[in-house]
Amino acid sequence: MKLLSIVLSSFVLQISSFAAERPNILWLTSEDHGPHMGCYGDTYATTPNVDALAAKGMLFKHAWSCGPVCAAARTTIIAGMYPPSTGGEHMRSMTEMPKGTKMYPQFLREAGYYCTNNSKEDYNLAKPEGVWDESSGKASWKNRADGQPFFAIFNETCSHESQLRKRPHDAIHDPAKVRVPAYHPDTPEVRQDWAQYYDQVTLADASAGKRLKEIEEAGLAEDTIVFYYADHGSGMPRNKRWPCNSGLQVPMVVYFPPKWKHLAPKEYEAGVKSDRLVSFVDLAPTLLSIIGVQPPEWMQGHAFAGKFQTEPQPFIFGFRGRMDERYDCVRSVTDGRFVYVRNYMPHLSQAQHVAYQFETPTTRVWRKAFDDGKTTPEQSIFWKEPKTPEELYDLQNDRDEVHNLAHSPEHAETLTKMRAAQENLALTIRDVGLLPEGEMHQRSEGTTPYDMGHDDKLYPAARILKAAGTASSLKMDAMGDLKAGFGDSDNAIRYWSTIGVLMRGKDGLAAAHDEMLKAASDSSTYVQVVANWSLAKYGSDADRAAALPKLVNLANWSQHDVFTTMSALNAIGDLGDKAKAIAEELKKLPAKGESPDGRFAGYTARLLADLTGSKPAFEDAGEPPAKKKKGKAKK
C-alpha cells in the first residue's frame, strides 16, 4: 500500500508539473454557420460572447472548412489530411486511416492530455481504438485527473440546417431586416429561413458563453487557450454542400491568455483581424505545435500557432464529393480575394436533388421560382446545367460569387495561377477522388485509399488528372483524346473518356457512338453506367431500348455493389421521361444491401423514392454499419 501511495503521489506530481508546462485547450464548435457574427462586421447578428472573445483575442478573416458539409469537414480536422487524399471526401465513405498515421487526439493523449469530445464525431474515416478518453454527451474536461492538462471539444448543434426549418419558432431577428444574398430570391420564406438561421447562431453564441463561464468559474481561464469555429458555411442552400466561399468560410476566433501568448500566431494581438489564410487541414498540426510536438510530415496542413508554426500560406483549398445520395466532383481554391472553382462534372447542376436539402422551405420556393421563370440570372446559376468547367469570383467586388470571371481576359493571369494551384495540390496529395467511389474501394483492397493513391502503379495520378481535365473541359476539339482513352487498360481513363462523351451531349455521342456501344459492356460497371446513360439520353430509340434494361440491372443492389447501384440510379434519374419504360421495374429494386456503412441504405432508398414518387426516408443516423462488399482490385 505504501509503495502504491508513493507511485500515485509521483504520478500526481508529474501531472501537476506537466500541466504547468503546457496549456489547456478548449474548442467551442458549432454547426452550419458562416461568419455571420458581430465580430466579422455583421450588424444584423447578435453574438455578444464570441464578439467579446474576438475583442480580447484574434479572428481569422479567411478561414475555410475544406469540406462544405459536416462529415467531410470533420474528417479533414481529425486526420490533418485532405479527404480527397484519404478517400474520406464522400459522405459515410468509412475508409481506413493511412498506414502509420493517427488521429490527432491520439498524439495529445500520448503527451498526457485528457481528451474529450462532446459529442458529435461524424468522421468519414473509420475511427481506431483509443482516440478519445471520452466522446459522449457527458464528456467534459471536469472528469480529468487533478492537475491534468485537457483538450476538450464542445459541439453546439442548435445552428444545424435542420433547425432553420423547425416550426413554430420564437423569433429573435426581424425577417424584414435580413440581407438576402443575390443568389436567393427575395421571398417571405427565404427571409424567414435566413432570419431563423441568425436566431440559431445567437443561441450557439450563448452556448459558447456558457462554456467560457464554466472555465472562468473553475479558475482555469488564464491557463486555457480557446478556439471558436463553425464546421462549414450556413445550412442554407448554395452555402452548405457547395465549395465556394459561402459554403466554406467559417468564423474562427482564438484566444491565448497572456501566459501562453508566446504560443500564439505571430500576428496575434488583442482585437487583431488576421489576413492569414487558414483551413481545417491546419488544425491538427497547429494543435500538436501548441503542445510542443512537431507535426508529422504526412499531415498536409500547416501549423499557424505554437513552436512549429509556419509562414502564412498563399492558398487554401476546398472540395465536394458525393453529398448523401448525389455524386459530384468539385475542387476549389482561394487566395483570400479570388475564389476558383473547378467543376470536374459540369453536366451536373449545383442543385442536384439532395432530398434532405429540399426539406428547407427556401430550396423548394427557389426551385419553383426557377421553374416558373421568375429568377434573375444570378438566382438561376444554382439550378442550371451544365455548370461552367471553371469559375472565378472576386470577393472584393462580388461577395455573393455570382459573376463568373473565368472568361474575362483581364483576369486570365489570375485564372491560370489559381488553376495551377488546384492541379498542384491534386498531384501533391494524390487526389483519389478522381476515381469513381467504388473503383477507389476496389483498388484499395488490402490497403487504404491513401496508400493506394501513393502507388503510381495502382493510381497513375498525373494521367488520371489529365484525363479528368480533358473530359470536363467540354471542348469538342478534345474528342480525339477522349476516343483514344477508350482503349486504355486503366478503368479510370476509360471512365473519364466515357463521361467526357456524356458531357458533350448529342454531339459527343455522335462523334464516339461505336466507342460508347462497346463501353456499355465494359469490364468496369462504372464505365457501363455512364455509357448506357449517354445512349439512353442522347441516342436513338434503339439505343435507349438497349440501354435502359442494362441500367436497371446496374441499379440492382443484389447484383452489384452499392456504388454501382447509386451511380445507376442517379443516371436513371437524369433521364426523366426517357426512363418511363422502366418505371415498374424500378419499384421492384431492393433498397438494402452490403455497404461500408448502414446509412447507405438511406441514400439508396431516397434515390428510389425520387424515381418512384414515394416519400424519402431520413432514418440514416442510427443504423449499424453493414459489412463492406469485397471486390477484386482492377485497373
Side-chain angles (χ1 to χ4, degrees):
M1 287 295 292
K2 186 175 181 180
L3 177 60
L4 178 60
S5 177
I6 293 172
V7 170
L8 289 173
S9 297
S10 175
F11 176 69
V12 170
L13 284 172
Q14 287 175 11
I15 287 179
S16 298
S17 174
F18 184 89
E21 296 171 1
R22 300 191 186 187
N24 302 315
I25 304 168
L26 176 67
W27 278 6
L28 302 175
T29 72
S30 52
E31 301 204 36
D32 299 17
H33 83 77
H36 302 99
M37 311 189 90
C39 54
Y40 278 85
D42 193 324
T43 57
Y44 183 73
T46 309
T47 52
N49 295 289
V50 176
D51 294 350
L53 186 69
K56 69 176 185 177
M58 185 183 83
L59 65 76
F60 291 98
K61 292 161 59 177
H62 310 290
W64 267 20
S65 61
C66 298
V69 71
C70 306
R74 293 165 187 275
T75 300
T76 308
I77 297 170
I78 198 69
M81 292 181 279
Y82 292 101
S85 176
T86 63
E89 71 178 279
H90 304 295
M91 291 296 283
R92 324 303 180 201
S93 51
M94 304 313 295
T95 55
E96 298 289 331
M97 284 285 289
K99 295 176 181 178
T101 66
K102 302 172 188 175
M103 292 185 168
Y104 75 79
Q106 294 173 282
F107 288 96
L108 272 72
R109 292 189 69 198
E110 289 170 3
Y113 273 78
Y114 181 73
C115 297
T116 61
N117 178 59
N118 187 334
S119 65
K120 185 171 182 177
E121 295 182 352
D122 204 19
Y123 316 131
N124 289 334
L125 291 164
K127 187 179 71 169
E129 292 293 325
V131 172
W132 299 103
D133 283 288
E134 185 174 1
S135 181
S136 73
K138 296 181 179 180
S140 173
W141 52 267
K142 297 176 184 178
N143 302 326
R144 75 198 191 286
D146 289 344
Q148 185 177 9
F150 67 79
F151 169 73
I153 299 177
F154 290 95
N155 182 71
E156 182 53 65
T157 62
C158 70
S159 50
H160 186 264
E161 170 187 17
S162 59
Q163 303 306 301
L164 311 188
R165 55 209 187 204
K166 200 171 183 179
R167 309 289 192 272
H169 171 73
D170 294 327
I172 300 173
H173 295 86
D174 182 359
K177 296 179 180 179
V178 74
R179 177 185 180 270
V180 177
Y183 46 81
H184 280 163
D186 191 345
T187 70
E189 295 88 350
V190 173
R191 285 185 169 275
Q192 171 63 37
D193 287 349
W194 267 114
Q196 188 160 328
Y197 158 72
Y198 273 91
D199 291 351
Q200 300 308 122
V201 172
T202 296
L203 297 180
D205 175 83
S207 174
K210 175 186 173 184
R211 299 298 183 185
L212 290 170
K213 186 177 180 181
E214 291 174 350
I215 291 290
E216 188 173 346
E217 289 178 346
L220 297 170
E222 292 310 306
D223 270 311
T224 303
I225 294 170
V226 180
F227 281 47
Y228 178 90
Y229 64 88
D231 66 355
H232 52 74
S234 93
M236 293 289 281
R238 219 301 301 253
N239 292 186
K240 186 172 183 175
R241 301 183 181 87
W242 190 247
C244 58
N245 193 63
S246 69
L248 295 173
Q249 189 186 11
V250 296
M252 186 174 288
V253 177
V254 299
Y255 172 68
F256 286 73
K259 180 178 177 179
W260 302 104
K261 187 180 176 183
H262 63 283
L263 295 175
K266 292 177 181 177
E267 68 272 26
Y268 183 90
E269 291 293 344
V272 163
K273 297 183 178 181
S274 173
D275 287 318
R276 184 192 293 248
L277 305 179
V278 298
S279 74
F280 281 8
V281 77
D282 301 323
L283 286 174
T286 297
L287 269 180
L288 298 191
S289 179
I290 287 172
I291 68 168
V293 174
Q294 185 164 8
E297 290 187 6
W298 51 260
M299 282 190 173
Q300 295 165 346
H302 300 84
F304 55 80
K307 180 180 178 181
F308 299 100
Q309 67 177 286
T310 64
E311 292 302 312
Q313 298 299 303
F315 305 104
I316 45 178
F317 301 89
F319 63 91
R320 166 181 160 106
R322 177 175 50 73
M323 295 291 161
D324 291 350
E325 66 267 30
R326 302 295 179 182
Y327 280 103
D328 206 344
C329 184
V330 186
R331 302 293 181 261
S332 54
V333 188
T334 188
D335 61 2
R337 175 175 175 179
F338 291 96
V339 174
Y340 171 79
V341 179
R342 183 64 168 94
N343 294 302
Y344 284 101
M345 294 185 174
H347 61 303
L348 305 172
S349 80
Q350 293 182 23
Q352 291 187 76
H353 194 279
V354 176
Y356 195 70
Q357 182 172 257
F358 272 77
E359 293 293 296
T360 301
T362 290
T363 313
R364 300 194 299 269
V365 168
W366 189 8
R367 178 71 214 197
K368 187 176 189 308
F370 175 76
D371 289 342
D372 292 345
K374 295 180 179 179
T375 50
T376 66
E378 292 84 0
Q379 294 162 5
S380 301
I381 297 168
F382 187 64
W383 305 98
K384 283 189 172 181
E385 298 173 3
K387 303 190 289 280
T388 56
E390 294 181 298
E391 303 172 43
L392 182 69
Y393 301 105
D394 180 359
L395 295 176
Q396 185 172 297
N397 298 300
D398 177 24
R399 64 185 284 190
D400 292 328
E401 301 163 283
V402 293
H403 301 296
N404 187 4
L405 303 175
H407 300 293
S408 164
E410 181 184 345
H411 296 89
E413 185 176 340
T414 300
L415 180 72
T416 300
K417 177 186 74 171
M418 304 294 272
R419 179 194 299 134
Q422 184 269 311
E423 292 179 349
N424 287 340
L425 181 79
L427 293 174
T428 300
I429 68 169
R430 311 283 295 187
D431 188 332
V432 297
L434 298 173
L435 291 173
E437 186 177 10
E439 176 83 12
M440 178 193 73
H441 283 282
Q442 288 177 347
R443 293 193 189 202
S444 303
E445 196 71 29
T447 184
T448 73
Y450 175 93
D451 293 293
M452 173 274 294
H454 282 70
D455 182 338
D456 210 58
K457 292 180 180 178
L458 291 174
Y459 185 65
R463 291 187 65 225
I464 292 173
L465 177 64
K466 182 179 179 181
T470 299
S472 58
S473 71
L474 300 186
K475 296 176 181 177
M476 284 303 296
D477 61 10
M479 282 302 302
D481 290 335
L482 293 178
K483 291 177 73 171
F486 282 96
D488 202 281
S489 61
D490 193 301
N491 292 352
I493 305 297
R494 300 198 306 280
Y495 170 79
W496 281 109
S497 283
T498 310
I499 206 168
V501 172
L502 169 69
M503 292 175 187
R504 288 160 177 74
K506 289 184 178 180
D507 292 341
L509 181 61
H513 189 264
D514 290 345
E515 288 83 356
M516 292 295 268
L517 284 176
K518 184 177 179 182
S521 300
D522 193 270
S523 60
S524 165
T525 56
Y526 311 106
V527 173
Q528 289 181 42
V529 167
V530 178
N532 284 292
W533 181 359
S534 177
L535 290 163
K537 186 171 184 176
Y538 300 115
S540 65
D541 289 345
D543 287 334
R544 187 175 308 113
L548 287 176
K550 291 181 180 179
L551 285 172
V552 172
N553 174 268
L554 290 163
N556 190 328
W557 201 349
S558 68
Q559 301 297 314
H560 300 282
D561 62 69
V562 68
F563 309 108
T564 297
T565 295
M566 291 175 62
S567 299
L569 290 172
N570 273 287
I572 293 168
D574 183 60
L575 297 177
D577 287 345
K578 292 181 178 179
K580 277 185 176 180
I582 57 174
E584 291 305 312
E585 293 176 70
L586 295 177
K587 294 178 182 178
K588 302 173 185 176
L589 292 176
K592 290 186 181 292
E594 292 181 331
S595 68
D597 187 89
R599 289 167 289 192
F600 277 80
Y603 302 149
T604 305
R606 290 176 211 171
L607 288 167
L608 288 168
D610 194 43
L611 290 171
T612 60
S614 56
K615 185 175 176 58
F618 298 111
E619 299 174 346
D620 67 344
E623 298 178 68
K627 185 179 179 182
K628 177 180 172 181
K629 188 170 184 177
K630 304 292 184 181
K632 191 173 181 180
K634 298 177 181 179
K635 276 191 64 185

